[in-house]
């Protein structure tokens, strides 16, 4: 088998085996692209009338939150702009419980209680990550299909590479041709233009899909920390001497408000145990997360604790740390602002079309009708001598 024919065969087999999964992952990614923008338009409970008073302190929010879901531990409260509702989050791993509430940060009035696992976008995300299967099954299936898709992109580029006589043909779609030719052009030409963006989306997806891939990228880039989040611990020996004069989480909240007056979001996490640290997340950019500061403090001494993973203070992040932290923003295109998200949207949409047009090419060739040779009637046959 000649090399090009072998590559075509590999492309065909891998495409048929993963096409449906690629279609689902691509179309759900496309639908999820503008989640934040859409929610900002149709969720009025995220906003409040701006007032001149101060926000409620974390210690004042906690009893309000505990009344919403009695018996549930409050995970965090996020404070945004002065015209935005404070967002309370409840999160427990086993059994899974992921819900939230939006309250007026001035009065504590509950504006909305929400199950973060229900609704359109959680449904879409579940399909994107797990194909709506149990995570332990769906996640490796999606990761494997993404790896196969990377191979498909590479083999597709090789097959697309034009011969000298067909250079112009490979860059444009012949709309006047018959449907089979148009379908072939849609697959090969759009696949070529899309592949330069989609390969980045696929590789950033693999960072989540396989730990070995994430570690390879990170340590090759010179990383030296842990990739998995692990909360640093507080010194419990100092618990007895800790001051009770004011809630330490309130003190930190006031300190962060003063230190980061331009922050778009300050998310305060309540300690879930006596040894847990106080964790505060500071978001600086409207559309991206990679520049955020993740700060940890001993809950008894309020001394800052530097974590041994990549999610720490931004100014202490190495190039490799930043590369991994921006993985999500690259994956959704937000790293380049709104234009990047639009580009990722259309790239995902066109990617969803590739398994469809590819299947139609295969089906058309497989069921191609053989041309019938017209029979010459006996009466019109030339006279033959015996």
């Amino acid at each position: 088998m000649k090399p090009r024919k072998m590559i075509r065969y590999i492309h065909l087999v891998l495409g048929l085996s993963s096409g449906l999964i690629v279609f689902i992952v691509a179309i759900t990614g496309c639908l999820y692209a503008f989640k934040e923008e859409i929610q900002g338009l149709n969720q009025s409970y995220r906003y409040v009338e701006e007032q001149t008073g101060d926000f409620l302190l974390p210690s004042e929010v906690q009893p309000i939150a505990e009344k919403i879901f009695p018996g549930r531990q409050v995970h965090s409260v996020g404070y945004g702009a002065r015209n935005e509702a404070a967002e309370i989050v409840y999160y427990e791993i086993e059994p899974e419980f992921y819900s939230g509430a939006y309250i007026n940060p001035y009065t504590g009035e509950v504006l909305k209680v929400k199950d973060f696992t229900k609704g359109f976008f959680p449904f879409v995300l579940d399909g994107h990550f797990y194909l709506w299967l149990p995570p332990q099954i769906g996640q490796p299936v999606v990761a494997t299909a993404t790896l196969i898709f990377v191979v498909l992109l590479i083999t597709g580029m090789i097959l697309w590479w034009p011969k000298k006589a067909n250079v112009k043909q490979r860059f444009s779609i012949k709309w006047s041709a018959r449907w089979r030719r148009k379908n072939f052009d849609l697959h090969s030409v759009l696949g070529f233009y899309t592949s330069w963006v989609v390969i980045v989306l696929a590789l950033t997806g693999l960072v989540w899909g396989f730990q070995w891939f994430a570690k390879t990228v990170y340590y090759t880039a010179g990383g030296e920390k842990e990739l998995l989040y692990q909360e640093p611990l507080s010194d419990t020996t100092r618990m007895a001497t800790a001051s009770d004069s004011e809630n330490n989480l309130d003190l930190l909240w006031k300190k962060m408000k003063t230190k980061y007056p331009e922050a778009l979001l300050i998310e305060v996490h309540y300690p879930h145990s006596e040894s847990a640290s106080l964790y505060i997340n500071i978001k600086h950019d409207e559309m991206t997360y990679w520049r955020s500061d993740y700060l940890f403090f001993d809950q008894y001494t309020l001394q800052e604790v530097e974590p041994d993973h990549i999610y720490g203070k931004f100014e202490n992040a190495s190039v490799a740390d930043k590369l991994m932290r921006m993985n999500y923003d690259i994956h959704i295109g937000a790293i380049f602002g709104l234009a990047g998200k639009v580009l990722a949207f259309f790239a995902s949409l066109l990617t969803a079309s590739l398994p469809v047009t590819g299947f139609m090419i295969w089906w058309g060739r497989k069921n191609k009708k053989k041309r019938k040779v017209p029979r010459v009637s006996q009466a019109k046959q030339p006279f033959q001598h015996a």
Side-chain angles (χ1 to χ4, degrees), residues 60-116:
E60 296 172 322
V61 171
Q62 189 169 7
I64 298 173
E66 290 173 346
K67 289 180 181 179
I68 298 173
F69 288 107
R72 296 288 184 180
Q73 189 172 29
V74 187
H75 179 69
S76 65
V77 56
Y79 298 90
R82 296 192 64 82
N83 67 334
E84 292 181 336
E87 182 183 24
I88 301 170
V89 175
Y90 309 80
Y91 178 69
E92 297 174 14
I93 299 176
E94 291 293 341
E96 183 182 15
F97 184 80
Y98 184 33
S99 295
Y102 293 87
I103 67 169
N104 187 311
Y106 303 100
T107 66
E109 177 190 0
V110 179
L111 306 174
K112 178 73 173 180
V113 178
K114 189 171 183 178
D115 184 347
F116 289 139

Side-chain angles (χ1 to χ4, degrees), residues 226-267:
E226 292 292 330
L227 290 178
L228 296 178
Y229 172 88
Q230 187 173 1
E231 190 175 281
L233 302 178
S234 295
D235 183 4
T236 55
T237 62
R238 306 292 295 274
M239 181 167 48
T241 58
S243 173
D244 308 355
S245 58
E246 188 171 0
N247 185 286
N248 279 351
L249 203 55
D250 291 348
L251 289 173
L252 270 181
W253 153 246
K254 293 177 181 179
K255 182 179 180 181
M256 295 301 106
K257 282 287 292 180
T258 302
K259 187 174 182 179
Y260 301 99
E262 302 300 322
L264 299 181
L265 174 71
I266 299 180
E267 190 175 65

